[in-house]
């Protein structure tokens, strides 16, 4: 479908090589200058009624359905149970062009690209990974192998069409990243995974003491690298099951979603609301993003995130 649209545009412009010129012959800065002038002229032709019509019909500009004060209260609740060592960041609304598709595996068409060679952030953890890599590289010159732990509550926007209740084009995502270096025997991964999972358990417990109701929390873990299965079973699940008997822990070795996006392991967390409906709440896992960014196979990165607006709407 997309190819047919491009073919139609090139035929209408009577310039078959137009796409190649814009893609390969112009530098990014020249392309930016050209597109800025195009959109300046487009904007100059619009009327106030055109703007209102766009506002009424553009699915990307609809306001959030969550009360900002309630969102602030939820963020404060989450920050209050963050593990020691996590730094909270306020991220920019935009990130470098290609942030989500070059290092990760997200199709660029699912990201809102801008004409200033940036893109609207579609996942806070991708940007946190960049910040982790930046800090890890700086630490390399001081011979410090410090573990970087970052957290952000950030409004993200995704362009794929969404339909159904509690699904939004833009929404607030609470994301965590832990970055460090391989310490052998899968120790970094085990410690980071336990820390992330315990954060969510403590967040749900705190939420239950606030104005939310969440029960039957369930963790589904997948060892994409099957040699890690025994280590995860013994050092993560068995340990956490003893501490959190109210949580169900299972392996899902048939899972295909996330394979290639995550490498050694990925996890999902589910919970049931007061109506008895189970919702998918947390997505996380280990990625090779900092390995790619720093060109170092010893780098390790765990990411995870929860759609806080969806949680608030489903569990309040």
């Amino acid at each position: 479908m997309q190819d047919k649209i491009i073919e139609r545009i090139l035929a209408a412009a009577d310039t078959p090589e137009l796409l190649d010129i814009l893609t390969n012959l112009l530098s990014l800065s020249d392309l930016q200058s050209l597109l800025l002038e195009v959109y300046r002229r487009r904007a100059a032709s619009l009327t106030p009624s055109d703007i209102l019509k766009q506002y009424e019909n553009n699915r990307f500009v609809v306001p959030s359905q969550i009360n900002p004060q309630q969102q602030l209260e939820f963020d404060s609740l989450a920050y209050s149970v963050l593990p020691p060592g996590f730094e909270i960041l306020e991220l920019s609304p935009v990130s470098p062009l290609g942030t989500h598709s070059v290092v990760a595996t997200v199709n660029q068409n699912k990201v809102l690209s801008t004409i200033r060679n940036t893109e609207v952030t579609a996942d806070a953890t991708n940007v946190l990974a960049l910040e982790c890599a930046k800090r890890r590289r700086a630490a390399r010159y001081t011979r410090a192998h410090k573990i970087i732990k970052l957290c952000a509550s950030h409004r993200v926007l995704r362009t794929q069409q969404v339909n159904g209740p509690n699904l939004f084009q833009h929404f607030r995502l609470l994301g965590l990243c832990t970055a460090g270096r391989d310490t052998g025997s899968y120790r970094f991964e085990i410690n980071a995974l336990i820390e992330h999972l315990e954060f969510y358990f403590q967040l749900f417990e705190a939420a239950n003491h606030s104005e939310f109701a969440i029960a039957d929390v369930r963790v589904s873990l997948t060892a994409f690298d099957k040699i890690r299965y025994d280590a995860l079973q013994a050092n993560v699940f068995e340990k956490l099951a003893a501490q959190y008997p109210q949580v169900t822990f299972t392996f899902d070795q048939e899972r295909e979603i996330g394979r290639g996006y995550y490498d050694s392991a990925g996890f999902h967390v589910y919970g049931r609301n007061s109506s008895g409906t189970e919702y998918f709440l947390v997505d996380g896992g280990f990625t090779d993003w900092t390995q790619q960014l720093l060109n170092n196979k010893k780098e390790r990165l765990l990411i995870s995130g929860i759609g806080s607006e969806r949680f608030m709407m489903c569990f309040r």
Side-chain angles (χ1 to χ4, degrees):
M1 183 59 155
Q2 186 70 17
D3 290 342
K4 291 183 178 180
I5 294 174
I6 298 301
E7 290 174 4
R8 175 180 58 78
I9 294 171
L10 296 179
D14 196 23
T15 312
E17 67 276 13
L18 178 61
L19 187 60
D20 184 60
I21 292 172
L22 296 177
T23 304
N24 300 313
L25 298 186
L26 293 183
S27 67
L28 280 176
S29 60
D30 284 349
L31 179 62
Q32 174 179 290
S33 298
L34 176 63
L35 293 177
L36 282 171
E37 179 59 19
V38 169
Y39 276 91
R40 186 193 68 79
R41 295 187 184 190
R42 287 279 186 171
S45 69
L46 298 173
T47 66
S49 61
D50 293 329
I51 303 301
L52 179 58
K53 184 177 181 180
Q54 287 188 60
Y55 184 75
E56 291 173 332
N57 294 283
N58 191 321
R59 57 194 167 96
F60 298 134
V61 303
V62 177
S64 169
Q65 298 181 42
I66 290 293
N67 182 301
Q69 184 174 353
Q70 294 175 346
Q71 179 67 62
L72 180 61
E73 292 170 354
F74 178 85
D75 285 345
S76 296
L77 185 69
Y79 297 154
S80 72
V81 296
L82 267 179
F86 271 87
E87 179 182 346
I88 304 167
L89 297 184
E90 180 68 24
L91 302 177
S92 168
V94 296
S95 49
L97 182 67
T99 292
H100 302 81
S101 63
V102 174
V103 177
T105 58
V106 176
N107 190 306
Q108 189 66 33
N109 289 339
K110 295 181 179 180
V111 181
L112 186 63
S113 306
T114 82
I115 61 173
R116 290 188 179 271
N117 299 321
T118 59
E119 58 194 40
V120 178
T121 299
D123 191 326
T125 59
N126 292 78
V127 186
L128 290 176
L130 287 174
E131 184 64 24
C132 284
K134 175 183 173 182
R135 297 186 184 197
R136 290 283 300 157
R137 182 160 64 181
R140 181 186 302 173
Y141 297 114
T142 62
R143 298 184 180 275
H145 297 302
K146 181 180 178 182
I147 294 177
I148 308 297
K149 301 177 182 181
L150 301 177
C151 170
S153 175
H154 190 71
R155 181 160 298 280
V156 301
L157 186 149
R158 299 173 182 177
T159 61
Q160 63 265 44
Q161 187 82 42
V162 295
N163 295 295
N166 307 313
L167 297 175
F168 318 103
Q169 292 298 154
H170 63 84
F171 55 92
R172 188 161 288 272
L173 176 72
L174 182 72
L176 274 63
C177 275
T178 301
R181 184 178 176 83
D182 176 33
T183 55
S185 302
Y186 212 51
R187 286 194 301 271
F188 172 88
E189 290 86 344
I190 289 169
N191 293 336
L193 181 56
I194 289 175
E195 192 168 52
H196 278 226
L197 287 173
E198 286 193 305
F199 163 71
Y200 293 109
F201 299 159
Q202 291 167 19
L203 173 59
F204 299 153
E205 182 178 355
N208 273 333
H209 287 90
S210 183
E211 51 187 335
F212 302 93
I214 177 171
D216 300 331
V217 175
R218 176 171 64 90
V219 177
S220 175
L221 182 63
T222 301
F224 293 118
D225 180 355
K226 293 183 179 180
I227 65 172
R228 306 299 184 188
Y229 181 95
D230 290 341
L232 292 171
Q233 174 71 42
N235 298 305
V236 178
F237 269 14
E238 291 181 8
K239 178 180 179 180
L240 290 177
Q243 293 181 259
Y244 300 91
Q246 74 278 20
V247 178
T248 301
F249 297 90
T250 61
F251 273 95
D252 179 9
Q253 291 305 106
E254 302 302 317
R255 172 184 165 187
E256 290 297 326
I257 296 176
R259 190 181 296 274
Y261 188 86
Y262 298 120
D263 47 25
S264 63
F267 68 90
H268 288 160
V269 181
Y270 302 82
R272 199 175 302 279
N273 68 4
S274 57
S275 299
T277 303
E278 185 182 69
Y279 288 94
F280 167 46
L281 292 174
V282 180
D283 185 27
F286 296 96
T287 75
D288 65 355
W289 299 348
T290 48
Q291 292 182 29
Q292 295 183 62
L293 292 166
L294 298 173
N295 193 28
N296 188 332
K297 291 293 186 182
K298 290 291 186 180
E299 291 295 323
R300 297 292 182 265
L301 180 70
L302 174 63
I303 65 170
S304 67
I306 179 172
S308 51
E309 286 187 28
R310 187 164 181 264
F311 177 82
M312 294 169 66
M313 295 191 73
C314 296
F315 292 89
R316 184 178 296 279

